[in-house]
Amino acid sequence: GLYHLNSVRWLGEYAIVPGLGNLHDRLAFNMSSFLYVVSLNSFPPFNIGFHLAGSFLTVLLFAECLSPICRVFQKKERFFSMDTLVKCTLLPLILAYSIDSDLPTSSPDFCSGILRILLFYNFILILIRFRQKEWPATLVNYLFFIAVTAVTVKLSNAMYSLTLVLFCVLIGYVRRQDIRLIEHRKVLILIGIV
């Protein structure tokens, strides 16, 4: 892209350089996905982090969705559990997203898309747990963590992330579940980041 590889190179070779945005305004965009690409550049095959970044995230998400199917074949889980069905429905979406976009890229858009798919998946799991009359504190914490990460990867994820987190809190209030003060702080932190 116009600034992706240059920003990755600056982050890899130097620390944060004051005034770098004066050279080109796009070099002032400091996204956490660039730090992820830089960390992969220091791997044994040097300077191919932009090839590994998208592919690695896709493989991780694909493996996460395949895990319940493996448990079904090992007879550890029923096929028609809601978690298995949700993950099975995400497989074509992940596959289509991976084929349609450029995997070897340093663009934060691909990482942002993967995080949005993961946010959506966790949000669906939270809705399933709410229907089962339980408060999924671990899943809500995980959703909050992914939401904050998505905002630091690309600022355009802010409204999507904030909407999902607020919707979870509202559902908790409607269901009159035990929402602790920590959950309120998480929403306030996310609003502060936005």
Side-chain angles (χ1 to χ4, degrees):
L2 178 63
Y3 66 96
H4 304 131
L5 294 177
N6 295 329
S7 294
V8 168
R9 184 173 178 193
W10 273 99
L11 285 172
E13 293 181 9
Y14 308 103
I16 295 178
V17 179
L20 184 60
N22 294 332
L23 293 176
H24 194 281
D25 60 343
R26 297 203 179 256
L27 292 176
F29 299 155
N30 195 10
M31 300 175 199
S32 61
S33 65
F34 292 155
L35 293 174
Y36 168 63
V37 174
V38 168
S39 68
L40 291 176
N41 272 343
S42 60
F43 218 61
F46 296 106
N47 295 326
I48 62 166
F50 65 95
H51 288 293
L52 297 174
S55 304
F56 184 63
L57 287 175
T58 304
V59 166
L60 283 178
L61 190 57
F62 205 71
E64 173 69 24
C65 288
L66 285 177
S67 66
I69 297 171
C70 294
R71 285 195 300 268
V72 166
F73 285 122
Q74 294 171 351
K75 309 254 193 270
K76 293 182 180 177
E77 190 173 308
R78 295 178 329 161
F79 181 71
F80 290 107
S81 71
M82 289 304 288
D83 295 349
T84 305
L85 290 176
V86 169
K87 285 184 179 181
C88 287
T89 56
L90 280 181
L91 284 173
L93 176 68
I94 297 165
L95 195 60
Y97 185 71
S98 300
I99 291 171
D100 188 40
S101 60
D102 297 326
L103 275 179
T105 181
S106 61
S107 171
D109 296 332
F110 186 80
C111 185
S112 171
I114 294 288
L115 287 172
R116 284 182 183 210
I117 291 172
L118 198 57
L119 275 169
F120 176 73
Y121 163 69
N122 281 301
F123 181 68
I124 295 297
L125 287 183
I126 288 170
L127 291 180
I128 290 169
R129 296 295 187 278
F130 278 141
R131 279 200 66 145
Q132 296 171 350
K133 307 275 194 240
E134 60 183 77
W135 173 247
T138 306
L139 284 175
V140 172
N141 291 338
Y142 190 51
L143 181 94
F144 176 77
F145 176 73
I146 297 170
V148 170
T149 304
V151 171
T152 62
V153 165
K154 195 161 173 115
L155 197 55
S156 63
N157 290 330
M159 289 309 296
Y160 182 75
S161 301
L162 185 63
T163 302
L164 291 182
V165 170
L166 286 176
F167 199 66
C168 286
V169 170
L170 286 175
I171 289 174
Y173 277 127
V174 169
R175 295 283 184 158
R176 289 174 177 61
Q177 299 290 337
D178 180 30
I179 298 178
R180 298 180 193 106
L181 183 62
I182 297 171
E183 267 53 341
H184 300 299
R185 288 182 187 157
K186 290 177 185 172
V187 173
L188 291 175
I189 289 170
L190 187 62
I191 291 171
I193 289 173
V194 172

